[in-house]
Amino acid sequence: MSRENAGVAITGIGAITALGHSPAEFTAALDEGRTALFPAAWADPGSPASWASTVSGFDPLDWMDPRLADGTDLFAQYALAAAQQAVEDHGQPLEPGTGVVIGTTMAGVTSLTEAQRRLDLVGPEAVPRKLNIQAWPNMAAGQIAIRYALHGPLLTVSTACASSIDAIGTALGMIQTGRADVVIAGGTERGLCEVLHHSQASYGMTNQVTDPMLSTMPFDRRRTGLVEGEGAAIVVLENLERARERGATIHGVLAGYGSLSDGSHPSSPDPSGSYEAQAMRDAQRMAGVTPDEVTGLVAHATSTPKGDTVEISAINQVFGERDDDLHVTSIKGSVGHTGAASGGMGLLLALHAIATGRLAHIPTTHEVEDGARFHIVTEKPAVADFHTVQVNAFGFGGQNSSIIVRRA
């Protein structure tokens, strides 16, 4: 197989999530069906009806010095912490030519809105002097490259909720074409703020319920909207031959990537689902696998009424009648919609399924929507030989992305 058509090794993984500050903690919690759905900071304490999936117990000083922490927004701090885990797991000093590709959607919007609040209430002297390097989207990737003194390709990807899958897919292409032998890639998000919540609520993206277990229900016929989440998921990708030669632990092989545009609507998917389906087919074609070879799928499935229905249609188009031998899940019922980080977190779940033979279930989904010609995993994890798993990520603006990961 030529270098251009070969997959790449995943030799390092890291995560900061609402369910734990490592991939092991995150996937163990998913296996157990735990959720991290809490009253939002702006919710009425007497009757909370606004929910968020927030990272708790994260101290940036556990991962970086005070000066760096002072000059970074949480979205970059999450990325730095997850990257440190992934690099340590990679198990080898990084060469200067290592690349970095990080996806983010909201970036430092929280720092920006807080600075505006200070300006309005106090005046110019209250605006943080480091606001630019806190808020700019490229600072997560930039700070990772600075930390490890890297001089390889350095990119930031912002394709809404597909950002981390597109970042990882871009990194795959860099290694396949020889631009780099090793790339740090993934996504990070800290989009939780009251102004965005109210915008999403007025746009019909979120709901007002008093039970958190009803706030996000992917593929459930009762679903009414999503819950905002946050965190980061970072992987280290490496030339497969190189990884094998040095005896690296290979968590999985990233084998295929597809990305294309709906070209339909700024916030709603094309109703036919045909372009989501095409992204999945493109990833399979690049990986050299047939739909029948895919045993697990981590769906985008955000719990929005339109989005989930279209994705069901798209999966049906690609896989046909699979009944109980294609197992489909989503992380959104456990940690909400983590935006740019969601696809990367889905990849960590896929790698866990490959390693353990268990694909975590959706703990909040109990009344599965009609029409799925595959097994939506509820109540308990699915048990199977998950040798090949697909991960979807679809976003506003018509972003459709999908990857294939297989056992090494």
Side-chain angles (χ1 to χ4, degrees):
M1 181 180 292
S2 69
R3 179 168 181 155
E4 288 75 13
N5 294 324
V8 304
I10 301 170
T11 56
I13 56 176
I16 298 294
T17 79
L19 285 174
H21 298 176
S22 71
E25 292 177 352
F26 173 58
T27 54
L30 292 176
D31 269 351
E32 294 167 10
R34 285 191 271 142
T35 62
L37 306 169
F38 310 109
W42 51 84
D44 180 356
S47 179
S50 297
W51 305 95
S53 185
T54 51
V55 173
S56 61
F58 178 81
D59 184 350
L61 298 183
D62 291 338
W63 305 93
M64 62 201 73
D65 64 44
R67 183 182 177 188
L68 178 55
D70 181 59
T72 49
D73 183 273
L74 262 177
F75 90 100
Q77 294 173 4
Y78 291 156
L80 279 161
Q84 179 176 320
Q85 297 171 36
V87 170
E88 290 174 355
D89 186 38
H90 174 66
Q92 186 175 21
L94 297 174
E95 297 175 358
T98 297
V100 182
V101 188
I102 302 297
T104 187
T105 300
M106 297 299 182
V109 66
T110 308
S111 289
L112 190 61
T113 55
E114 173 61 18
Q116 182 66 55
R117 186 186 71 83
R118 292 183 182 185
L119 176 64
D120 293 341
L121 294 178
V122 180
E125 66 275 14
V127 176
R129 67 187 183 88
K130 295 183 179 180
L131 179 60
N132 283 345
I133 60 174
Q134 291 171 333
W136 285 357
N138 71 315
M139 293 312 299
Q143 291 286 10
I144 291 170
I146 292 167
R147 164 171 283 189
Y148 296 105
L150 304 178
H151 305 289
L154 176 61
L155 291 176
T156 296
V157 175
S158 186
T159 52
C161 309
S163 294
S164 57
I165 293 298
D166 283 333
I168 291 165
T170 299
L172 167 67
M174 287 179 175
I175 294 174
Q176 287 177 323
T177 57
R179 290 187 63 198
D181 286 328
V182 178
V183 181
I184 300 168
T188 186
E189 202 75 274
R190 185 226 181 174
L192 299 172
C193 64
E194 187 172 6
V195 65
L196 289 173
H197 167 78
H198 291 306
S199 172
Q200 290 174 349
S202 66
Y203 202 60
M205 294 168 59
T206 60
N207 52 70
Q208 299 290 309
V209 295
T210 56
D211 182 352
M213 298 299 282
L214 300 177
S215 63
T216 172
M217 299 182 289
F219 293 137
D220 193 301
R221 62 170 58 95
R222 299 166 298 163
R223 67 190 183 278
T224 56
L226 56 82
V227 165
E228 291 179 82
E230 61 177 354
I234 305 292
V235 297
V236 177
L237 303 179
E238 183 175 357
N239 175 273
L240 183 57
E241 182 178 352
R242 166 196 162 113
R244 286 173 172 161
E245 286 177 351
R246 72 178 184 89
T249 297
I250 300 176
H251 297 285
V253 174
L254 182 64
Y257 165 58
S259 180
L260 56 93
S261 169
D262 252 12
S264 175
H265 190 274
S267 60
S268 295
D270 184 285
S272 72
S274 58
Y275 302 104
E276 293 183 2
Q278 188 61 50
M280 286 186 268
R281 291 191 183 101
D282 287 350
Q284 292 172 4
R285 185 178 301 108
M286 181 178 179
V289 303
T290 66
D292 289 344
E293 294 176 81
V294 178
T295 51
L297 191 150
V298 183
H300 187 59
T302 61
S303 182
T304 56
K306 290 182 180 179
D308 288 11
T309 298
V310 170
E311 189 168 11
I312 287 174
S313 173
I315 296 170
N316 286 341
Q317 291 172 47
V318 174
F319 292 95
E321 195 72 45
R322 288 291 295 274
D323 294 326
D324 292 334
D325 70 344
L326 174 65
H327 306 283
V328 178
T329 192
S330 169
I331 66 168
K332 308 301 193 299
S334 300
V335 293
H337 192 350
T338 55
S342 62
M345 291 183 186
L347 173 58
L348 297 182
L349 173 55
L351 294 173
H352 179 68
I354 288 170
T356 65
R358 291 166 59 86
L359 183 68
H361 59 297
I362 310 171
T364 56
T365 296
H366 301 287
E367 298 181 18
V368 174
E369 181 176 345
D370 295 333
R373 301 202 297 269
F374 46 87
H375 174 219
I376 295 174
V377 187
T378 62
E379 310 304 332
K380 61 182 181 180
V383 177
D385 178 14
F386 292 107
H387 51 80
T388 304
V389 181
Q390 189 146 21
V391 183
N392 288 343
F394 308 129
F396 276 19
Q399 305 284 166
N400 297 320
S401 298
S402 189
I403 54 174
I404 295 284
V405 61
R406 56 177 174 80
R407 185 176 295 128

